[in-house]
Amino acid sequence: FFFIRAMSAKTFSSSSVPCVSSARAPRALPRLVTARSSSSSSSSKTTSPPRGNEAPTSGHASLKSSASLGTSKLAQSVASGLAGLSLGIAATLGAPAPSMATELDILAQQPANNKYVYDDANVLSRANVAGVVRELTQLQIDTGYHIDVVTLRKLVFTADPFEFADKVIEKWYPTVQEGDKHGVLLLVSTGKEGAIVGGPSFMKKVGDPIIEGIISENIPVLTQEEKFNEAISSSVKRIEAALKGEADTGGPSAVSKKRQRTYKTKEEASEKKDISVIVVSLLLFISFVVPMVQFFGYTAR
């Protein structure tokens, strides 16, 4: 009985321990959960990562700014390239240089009373132009006749110098009253030719012999030697003398330069060849015959 009672007491004591532990465990569990939740919330507050939408927003903004910057630089480079190309085309297709002037450029000019020389061929020196201008200015003061000197490199649209000179005086002085005492002296540097035209009073005063002499003597002879300044000045002096009623000074004469040939003709070569053959034959005869005669002379003794 004592043994059974002791075993039941032992069993009761062993079974009561889990009940106490099971009864106290639910009370301590909320405290642990609260502590864990508080610790996790504190850790989340201290080490909270940045928002997910902020980083992509800044990245997209930087990409957009770099793309816009590259586009603006490309647009600036393209604009500068187009500007340079347009300047090059304008320089290439712009107004032609004086040395490349054509008939249209001459006709487009406006004549003036104080301008006498239109050197579009750029073959006259400044000193010669100044001298011709002074001479023509004094001629207009003394006689009332005005002469325009025009130089052109070549004729493109008109083949005849006289035809183009007629167009010039008709364009510059459209009425008979305006062009009556005006004349045009034209010189074409490439073709080595020229022309003289003018109003009725001018042509009558100068006369055909002077015009023919200038066209056939002064201009072709002097321009053939590239003496354009002398061709213009000498032609102006002859026209001036005719308008003042003075004697004609005359034009330069063409000096014919005969070329000396440096080769021999067939007749000269054959004649010299015959003489050479005779001389060589005579020397060979002497070289063979004289020793033989001497040998026979010594052996005959």
Side-chain angles (χ1 to χ4, degrees), residues 74-292:
L74 179 61
Q76 291 177 359
S77 61
V78 171
S80 61
L82 290 176
L85 181 62
S86 62
L87 289 176
I89 294 174
T92 306
L93 301 178
S99 59
M100 298 297 293
T102 60
E103 296 96 314
L104 299 179
D105 301 312
I106 299 295
L107 295 174
Q109 296 190 27
Q110 297 295 330
N113 291 328
N114 57 352
K115 187 175 182 180
Y116 300 90
V117 179
Y118 301 86
D119 185 22
D120 285 273
N122 198 19
V123 294
L124 303 179
S125 63
R126 293 183 178 180
N128 187 47
V129 170
V132 170
V133 168
R134 286 195 301 267
E135 192 171 355
L136 294 178
T137 303
Q138 189 63 38
L139 175 65
Q140 186 175 4
I141 295 172
D142 296 340
T143 62
Y145 289 97
H146 181 95
I147 302 175
D148 294 310
V149 178
V150 179
T151 64
L152 194 65
R153 184 167 294 275
K154 63 179 179 178
L155 295 173
V156 179
F157 303 103
T158 306
D160 187 12
F162 279 93
E163 182 180 355
F164 175 67
D166 288 332
K167 290 182 180 180
V168 171
I169 197 167
E170 290 174 1
K171 178 66 171 58
W172 288 1
Y173 311 104
T175 62
V176 179
Q177 292 77 13
E178 291 179 356
D180 185 38
K181 288 191 173 183
H182 285 77
V184 174
L185 171 61
L186 174 66
L187 184 145
V188 184
S189 60
T190 303
K192 307 293 189 299
E193 54 187 354
I196 300 175
V197 297
S201 178
F202 177 86
M203 297 298 291
K204 183 179 180 180
K205 190 71 174 177
V206 174
D208 293 337
I210 301 298
I211 296 175
E212 184 65 27
I214 293 174
I215 299 305
S216 60
E217 296 173 357
N218 294 75
I219 293 178
V221 172
L222 295 174
T223 54
Q224 192 66 32
E225 301 176 1
E226 301 295 329
K227 297 179 180 180
F228 300 104
N229 292 290
E230 187 176 352
I232 292 296
S233 59
S234 61
S235 300
V236 168
K237 288 180 179 179
R238 295 188 69 175
I239 298 174
E240 180 184 3
L243 293 175
K244 290 182 178 180
E246 300 176 355
D248 184 22
T249 57
S253 58
V255 179
S256 60
K257 296 181 179 180
K258 189 177 180 180
R259 297 181 60 184
Q260 300 281 339
R261 58 183 176 86
T262 57
Y263 59 91
K264 294 180 180 180
T265 60
K266 185 177 180 180
E267 292 77 10
E268 293 176 352
S270 61
E271 182 180 357
K272 188 174 182 180
K273 182 179 180 181
D274 296 339
I275 296 174
S276 301
V277 170
I278 293 173
V279 172
V280 171
S281 301
L282 183 60
L283 292 175
L284 289 175
F285 177 78
I286 293 173
S287 62
F288 280 100
V289 173
V290 172
M292 293 177 66

Side-chain angles (χ1 to χ4, degrees), residues 6-17:
M7 289 297 293
S8 61
K10 186 176 181 181
T11 304
F12 178 78
S13 60
S14 61
S15 61
S16 62
V17 174

Side-chain angles (χ1 to χ4, degrees), residues 19-46:
C19 293
V20 174
S21 61
S22 60
R24 291 179 179 179
R27 294 179 181 177
L29 186 59
R31 293 180 181 179
L32 294 175
V33 173
T34 341
R36 288 179 182 178
S37 62
S38 63
S39 64
S40 64
S41 62
S42 63
S43 63
S44 65
K45 289 179 181 179
T46 54

